[in-house]
Amino acid sequence: MAERHVRVESLVGLHSRPAAEFVKAAAAAPMEVTIGRFAEVPVNAKSILGVLALDARQGEQLRLCAEGDGADEVLESLATLFTEPNA
Amino acid sequence: MRCWSRSRPSSRSRMREFTGTGVSPGVGVGRVRVMTGSVPVPPAEPFTGDRVAETARALAALEEVARELESRATAVGGEAHDVLSAQALMARDPDLAGEVTVGVSAGLSAARAVYESFGFYRELLGGSGAYISARVADLDDVRDRTVARLMAFAVPGVPETDERYVLITQDLSPADLALLDPAQCVAFVTEEGGPIGHTAILARAMGIPAIVACAGALEVPDGAYVLADGASGTLVLEPDPARVERARAAEKARAEAVGSATGPGRTKDGHPVPLLANVGGPADIEPALRNGAEGVGLFRSEYLFLDEAVPPSEEQQIAAYRAVLEAFPRVVVRVLDAGADKPLSFLPPAAVEPNPALGERGLRLLRRHPEVLKGQLKALARAAEGLPADRLRVMAPMVTDAEEARVFTRACRDVGIQQAGIMIEVPAAAVRAHDIAEEVDFFSLGTNDLAQYVFAVDRQVSSLTRLQNPWRPALLDLMAHAARAATEAGKGCGVCGEAAADPVMACVLAGLGVTSLSMSSPSLPLVRAALAAHTYAECQEAARAARAARTAGDARAAARAALPALETLGL
């Protein structure tokens, strides 16, 4: 199980364009990817509705998880989406 | 906006005409298509057919909807594109597909399973923050499209037909509007909305005749034959041939007047009112020149940087400014106007704000980030090097009082910018315009935001756009007051809001003492023609008459009555 911790930098939180871009990138991954808060049940990162329902705001810490071949690389590239606060 | 009717002198009185606000001139005649968003709720009775096939049917409908939304997204740009691609993602959501599959296996029909699955997510999202609640409408739209497909109902939204039609609807989202084909939709009429909403701005840009805030329009039955006049704001039910002929002749007269009005903006008797363009980026330069803009009255500099995580480099900025400065003899640049509906990631406010429109935005935000303001002013000064001294004028958004104006003017002078001005968007700045006139070289009235703050109506609340009407006398009074303060101090006072794009309002603004008008380029020719057809005294009389009225509708009617040549322009 690979894991990455990310901080939501975008001003609008994980919504709108940042959410759509994240989900599109996750959907392209050849494995299951989840995203969520630390003490909560994570959601399917490929589900825009699940991601929107997280309602993650700017400054929140989230955990990305994936399992299988290339999981590390997948999470690495997904994590880069969070370092650019393209509000 | 009151709706009134003219009964025919026959025994049966019947609604023949509806009046709204004309926001995009032109005449459309054709059969009505009423766009309603109502798709029936699929019945919950148990499904007894082949469940595997039914699941496949449900998933195929979702995929078709996703594809349709995607192809429409690629056809449009800007905000509408983002909305449509997000909706396509919703239709393709794997978790949603899972819910639907479970629903059909449990004995629901495809349509009912889709309906219930969307309902589940609707609950989930509806309880979240304001931003997401706004997405619920987008989600409902995807649900309705899919259910309509599965139940063989007409898909809600913009009609797909080969005939020319007049669209009548409650309101029109940018996403819907972007899909209208001007060759088919000859006009559209909305029962709600207002003259400065997205709908009006986009309609003008697309050249589709449009009427908004037209009470009672939805009573017109689908398929009825109507005439919609986007100049006068009149919707006529079953017009006789003479009526259609008159409207067409007026439209032709207008086209001729527009074609013959060239050169700098001025009244019939030569009172100059420079006509300028609102520009958001390099792509807007060519249309502005083509429509005879005498300069740029509003260069929205933040549009260059909306997607940047870091402030743009000085070189990037200089190149962007230089392109505009070289194209026009006068250019008013608004420094970064971030915050509220235009967040910039490298200019965060101090805290999360419950009311961003009343928070750190415009100059307030730049005072929190003085290095960004200084960097931008430096880049502007460098971009203007070697050009005539009065070519570049710089203004600050969201200025509240003379002290703020002084701070900004000093910052401009420090880097050698000669012409420093402010936008008047805050009512306090308009009320005390006399104080501010001593601190700056010019004003520019930002009518959209000024209306927002004067009427205490958030620009983004579409159900209240009727309250944002720039014809409301309170706004006319404030603009008159600010223009007078500028005149007495020997300074210029322009307008750079959507109000300037209305040819009737443009004459009134000139009469109020406004010294230049800046608008989106497609609106320039008609405004030029309207000014050229009236004397300065007529404009002043129209302004006086409008201010003497008590409602927006009466103000516009009074102004029209004082501007006799509008008739010949088909306005």
Side-chain angles (χ1 to χ4, degrees):
Chain A
M1 173 76 91
E3 197 174 302
R4 282 283 180 298
H5 298 177
V6 293
R7 182 175 180 275
V8 179
E9 298 289 354
S10 138
L11 275 184
V12 294
L14 191 50
H15 293 316
S16 164
R17 206 182 311 171
E21 281 173 6
F22 169 74
V23 170
K24 272 187 201 153
M31 64 198 64
E32 280 192 16
V33 184
T34 64
I35 181 167
R37 293 185 183 84
F38 290 87
E40 295 175 13
V41 179
V43 300
N44 178 359
K46 303 182 184 199
S47 162
I48 185 75
L49 297 169
V51 169
L52 288 179
L54 270 183
D55 199 10
R57 309 293 174 91
Q58 188 195 19
E60 283 201 76
Q61 298 280 349
L62 299 172
R63 179 166 57 172
L64 297 171
C65 296
E67 205 163 358
D69 277 353
D72 264 313
E73 290 75 12
V74 164
L75 293 188
E76 196 53 47
S77 80
L78 287 176
T80 60
L81 291 176
F82 286 86
T83 55
E84 301 159 13
N86 61 344
Chain B
M1 198 51 67
R2 246 164 32 86
C3 149
W4 48 277
S5 61
R6 276 192 198 156
S7 329
R8 277 184 298 178
S10 71
S11 57
R12 263 185 329 132
S13 125
R14 175 177 157 208
M15 187 76 88
R16 296 283 324 281
E17 286 198 16
F18 304 83
T19 302
T21 308
V23 292
S24 179
V27 172
V29 179
R31 298 273 162 204
V32 168
R33 290 279 169 276
V34 178
M35 180 171 117
T36 52
S38 61
V39 169
V41 175
E45 60 227 26
F47 173 74
T48 52
D50 176 348
R51 290 181 183 181
V52 174
E54 191 68 355
T55 304
R57 216 165 68 79
L59 299 182
L62 282 166
E63 178 56 27
E64 279 165 21
V65 168
R67 261 195 236 137
E68 177 190 47
L69 288 163
E70 252 176 0
S71 74
R72 289 181 172 194
T74 49
V76 300
E79 197 185 339
H81 174 273
D82 287 351
V83 171
L84 292 163
S85 18
Q87 285 185 301
L89 275 181
M90 290 173 181
R92 275 216 182 94
D93 192 298
D95 288 10
L96 178 87
E99 289 283 331
V100 171
T101 307
V102 169
V104 177
S105 330
L108 299 176
S109 69
R112 181 71 192 186
V114 165
Y115 179 82
E116 287 191 7
S117 305
F118 273 100
F120 167 77
Y121 281 104
R122 197 176 195 281
E123 291 281 299
L124 204 61
L125 294 184
S128 323
Y131 169 79
I132 308 211
S133 304
R135 294 283 75 76
V136 168
D138 297 344
L139 188 66
D140 288 347
D141 182 48
V142 179
R143 176 195 67 196
D144 291 346
R145 284 170 186 280
T146 315
V147 169
R149 251 172 213 283
L150 288 165
M151 297 178 74
F153 279 103
V155 173
V158 174
E160 296 191 13
T161 159
D162 296 335
E163 291 182 353
R164 293 153 66 86
Y165 61 90
V166 174
L167 183 67
I168 298 185
T169 157
Q170 190 78 27
D171 202 352
L172 208 52
S173 68
D176 286 326
L177 184 55
L179 306 177
L180 292 182
D181 175 356
Q184 281 197 319
C185 176
V186 294
F188 73 82
V189 182
T190 66
E191 191 154 271
E192 291 181 355
I196 60 170
H198 280 296
T199 316
I201 295 169
L202 284 171
R204 279 195 291 274
M206 294 169 75
I208 299 179
I211 304 171
V212 300
C214 187
L218 284 169
E219 294 164 25
V220 176
D222 198 78
Y225 176 68
V226 297
L227 178 155
D229 186 337
S232 65
T234 316
L235 174 69
V236 188
L237 187 58
E238 304 294 344
D240 54 34
R243 182 69 196 255
V244 174
E245 192 48 47
R246 269 211 312 282
R248 293 249 190 254
E251 191 181 14
K252 193 156 165 275
R254 183 171 57 237
E256 280 166 8
V258 167
S260 64
T262 54
R266 57 182 56 208
T267 59
K268 193 170 169 181
D269 50 340
H271 176 79
V273 186
L275 299 177
L276 315 170
N278 292 348
V279 165
D284 296 337
I285 294 177
E286 196 276 328
L289 290 168
R290 193 160 24 92
N291 285 294
E294 294 160 66
V296 173
L298 170 63
F299 180 67
R300 301 183 174 100
S301 62
E302 63 281 352
Y303 280 75
L304 301 167
F305 315 123
L306 275 182
D307 294 329
E308 305 288 333
V310 291
S313 72
E314 191 171 42
E315 277 58 45
Q316 271 176 305
Q317 291 192 61
I318 291 173
Y321 305 145
R322 187 83 194 184
V324 179
L325 286 167
E326 284 177 343
F328 298 95
R330 62 188 275 189
V331 176
V332 180
V333 178
R334 177 175 69 189
V335 292
L336 291 173
D337 186 13
D341 55 343
K342 296 189 293 272
L344 281 184
S345 46
F346 57 86
L347 281 182
V352 174
E353 299 172 333
N355 253 324
L358 300 177
E360 292 195 342
R361 54 172 302 198
L363 186 65
R364 302 167 180 183
L365 197 50
L366 289 168
R367 288 184 82 174
R368 171 169 301 283
H369 302 278
E371 71 295 343
V372 174
L373 174 61
K374 203 168 170 178
Q376 187 178 21
L377 292 176
K378 264 206 197 124
L380 281 164
R382 282 198 47 203
E385 275 170 13
L387 296 169
D390 61 350
R391 170 83 43 114
L392 170 69
R393 303 159 199 222
V394 184
M395 65 184 179
M398 280 299 282
V399 172
T400 305
D401 59 17
E403 183 268 338
E404 283 195 334
R406 188 178 318 133
V407 168
F408 181 72
T409 304
R410 195 177 306 135
C412 289
R413 301 274 190 266
D414 283 349
V415 296
I417 292 171
Q418 305 280 324
Q419 292 277 324
I422 64 148
M423 301 252 320
I424 293 197
E425 298 162 293
V426 181
V431 171
R432 301 295 297 191
H434 288 95
D435 304 345
I436 298 178
E438 293 175 17
E439 305 290 346
V440 299
D441 302 304
F442 66 93
F443 293 158
S444 186
L445 291 161
T447 50
N448 302 4
D449 272 322
L450 186 58
Q452 164 170 273
Y453 297 121
V454 169
F455 303 131
V457 173
D458 185 330
R459 279 173 69 176
Q460 305 197 75
V461 177
S462 62
S463 59
L464 292 174
T465 40
R466 66 191 155 78
L467 294 176
Q468 283 250 312
N469 193 327
W471 283 99
R472 297 178 77 198
L475 186 64
L476 297 175
D477 280 354
L478 262 188
M479 294 195 292
H481 181 74
R484 195 170 53 242
T487 308
E488 284 170 5
K491 310 280 167 80
C493 176
V495 169
C496 65
E498 275 305 310
D502 169 356
V504 186
M505 178 62 95
C507 294
V508 167
L509 291 170
L512 290 175
V514 163
T515 54
S516 66
L517 299 169
S518 190
M519 65 204 75
S520 54
S521 301
S523 306
L524 286 163
L526 197 53
V527 167
R528 182 181 296 114
L531 283 171
H534 296 97
T535 63
Y536 187 45
E538 283 172 332
C539 293
Q540 287 174 308
E541 174 52 28
R544 195 205 54 73
R547 286 182 67 194
R550 289 190 170 188
T551 67
D554 291 351
R556 192 165 200 262
R560 291 176 65 97
L563 297 166
L566 289 174
E567 196 76 39
T568 58
L569 291 172
L571 288 169

